[in-house]
Amino acid sequence: MRVGIIGATGYGGAELLRMLKNHPHVEEVVLYTSSKEGMNINESYPHLSAIYEQDLKPIDPDTLKNEVEAVFLATPPGVSAEWSQTIVESGCQVIDLSGDLRLRSPEQYKAWYKREAAAKSVIDQAVYGLTEWRREEIRDARLIANPGCYPTATLLGLAPLVQKGLVRPDSIIIDAKSGTSGAGRTPSAITHFSEMNENFKIYQINQHKHIPEIEQQLNDWNEEMAAVTFQPHLVPMVRGIMATIYLTAKKETREQELRELYQTAYEKEPFVRIRKQGSYPATKEVYGSNYCDIGVTYDERTGRITVVSVIDNVVKGASGQAIQNFNVMNGFDEEAGLTLVPMYP
């Protein structure tokens, strides 16, 4: 297939280029832009010299439909809201990596993102692309709302417990840490080296836009679920997310029962790995890969469950999951282009 990327100069776009280069079913990648027409991709990313030698093209649906069959939108908020419908109508598949289409309520989007939402008709077409749990819908979709990075780690960690109704609905606390690449490539005071090096920051307390995304999916799985406490932090590293999740069990359980629940839930999933008893994942162990590693334990003294879920935010939290969805949409092997061994050290 021929595929297009809109927003190739961001971290998500660059990671798409890295992985699509070795995808067995992608013969050409065409780069488009909403703001940097004529720029050669090597001007933005010299590491792509002699690998991708092309200028960024303007978005023109009439031209685009003759050049590509699928489009990845690795763009800031607002671009997908404007272009998704037009591109889908041109006949292309669309996988949107921004947050424009994740929330089904335009009012909720406006409240959390502080901008106007996409048209409801566009939002209603989008399938939420949490691959492991929405695979059947993704197969028939033309428009995918790729999940956010924090929600991916969090929801994969919570799904087995929430779907089985094993935890108190009002007890979920998500303590999440991310590397600075999650903030994107545009420099800011919060991610400046002098501000972030040898530092550890909490940010957007009770205000992060991934909160409603997490709650929306939890309620799809279990309508009893209440609001969650979600708090992100920035760690002085480039990649990685660790979501440490605390929940109160509805009734006394055993750690072995919880581990068996997770092993059963994910036994056929190629990109979710469940840790053995007493072993808990670290971000470096999934670095550069599409894996989500999960550890789970139970504290008999407090009756609380702790789930530790780690991903590479740029891969499983963005571009890798987007390619996983692309594979499912087209009937390819789900692992195509994604069999990347984590980089270590």
Side-chain angles (χ1 to χ4, degrees):
M1 291 180 66
R2 296 164 297 158
V3 303
I5 300 174
I6 300 176
T9 57
Y11 291 144
E15 197 71 344
L16 282 168
L17 285 168
R18 180 174 77 92
M19 290 182 285
L20 289 172
K21 181 64 178 176
N22 297 310
H23 196 291
H25 303 292
V26 173
E27 65 175 352
E28 183 181 3
V29 180
V30 184
L31 308 182
Y32 302 93
T33 181
S34 61
S35 60
K36 298 180 180 179
E37 179 182 348
M39 175 190 285
N40 191 284
I41 190 62
N42 295 330
E43 295 178 48
S44 185
Y45 288 115
H47 73 286
L48 295 176
S49 297
I51 300 172
Y52 289 101
E53 299 283 352
Q54 59 176 290
D55 295 337
L56 305 181
K57 298 183 177 184
I59 306 172
D60 179 357
D62 291 331
T63 303
L64 187 146
K65 69 181 180 182
N66 295 318
E67 294 180 331
V68 298
E69 298 154 271
V71 175
F72 294 92
L73 281 164
T75 55
V79 178
S80 178
E82 178 182 357
W83 286 104
S84 287
Q85 181 68 40
T86 303
I87 297 172
V88 169
E89 288 176 352
S90 76
C92 294
Q93 299 171 343
V94 173
I95 300 103
D96 175 32
L97 281 73
S98 79
D100 282 357
L101 307 179
R102 296 172 189 158
L103 300 182
R104 292 193 293 268
S105 166
E107 294 75 20
Q108 197 173 44
Y109 178 91
K110 186 175 181 180
W112 286 89
Y113 281 75
K114 311 301 181 187
R115 62 188 307 126
E116 290 299 321
K120 189 67 165 63
S121 58
V122 180
I123 296 171
D124 288 345
Q125 293 179 55
V127 171
Y128 189 62
L130 190 67
T131 323
E132 285 76 10
W133 295 102
R134 305 294 287 269
R135 190 173 282 109
E136 295 306 314
E137 297 166 80
I138 291 167
R139 281 197 178 101
D140 299 324
R142 300 290 299 172
L143 177 58
I144 297 293
N146 217 56
C149 50
Y150 282 126
T152 296
T154 300
L155 292 169
L156 289 175
L158 284 172
L161 294 170
V162 171
Q163 291 189 23
K164 294 293 186 181
L166 299 179
V167 297
R168 279 179 34 191
D170 61 349
S171 71
I172 298 177
I173 299 173
I174 304 148
D175 182 22
K177 287 93 173 175
S178 175
T180 57
S181 60
R185 201 178 187 195
T186 303
S188 67
I190 193 172
T191 58
H192 190 284
F193 180 83
S194 298
E195 298 284 339
M196 199 63 241
N197 185 46
E198 297 185 15
N199 202 359
F200 185 30
K201 295 182 180 180
I202 192 169
Y203 70 105
Q204 293 186 13
I205 299 175
N206 299 326
Q207 298 177 354
H208 199 281
K209 59 191 178 185
H210 286 166
I211 293 172
E213 183 182 340
I214 292 168
E215 292 177 346
Q216 176 178 269
Q217 183 58 59
L218 292 179
N219 278 277
D220 283 352
W221 285 332
N222 186 336
E223 61 184 14
E224 294 181 356
M225 298 308 298
V228 302
T229 296
F230 170 83
Q231 194 50 59
H233 306 72
L234 276 179
V235 182
M237 63 184 186
V238 175
R239 293 175 181 243
I241 281 178
M242 175 179 285
T244 306
I245 309 166
Y246 306 98
L247 319 91
T248 301
K250 278 187 176 179
K251 62 180 181 179
E252 186 175 342
T253 185
R254 294 186 303 113
E255 186 167 314
Q256 183 59 31
E257 291 177 358
L258 296 176
R259 187 164 292 100
E260 289 173 358
L261 171 68
Y262 276 79
Q263 289 169 340
T264 300
Y266 290 119
E267 63 182 349
K268 296 182 180 179
E269 297 299 339
F271 296 115
V272 180
R273 304 186 297 189
I274 307 303
R275 289 303 181 91
K276 296 179 180 179
Q277 184 172 357
S279 175
Y280 303 95
T283 58
K284 196 73 171 178
E285 293 156 0
V286 297
Y287 196 95
S289 80
N290 199 51
Y291 288 112
C292 174
D293 284 7
I294 298 173
V296 59
T297 188
Y298 177 68
D299 187 342
E300 296 179 0
R301 187 176 62 85
T302 62
R304 281 194 285 272
I305 300 166
T306 301
V307 179
V308 183
S309 176
V310 302
I311 62 170
D312 183 318
N313 57 292
V314 190
V315 188
K316 185 59 171 171
S319 302
Q321 187 163 214
I323 293 173
Q324 194 176 349
N325 287 325
F326 166 76
N327 289 339
V328 173
M329 293 169 79
N330 290 288
F332 302 145
D333 179 347
E334 195 167 314
E335 299 178 63
L338 296 171
T339 54
L340 303 169
V341 175
M343 294 183 283
Y344 204 98

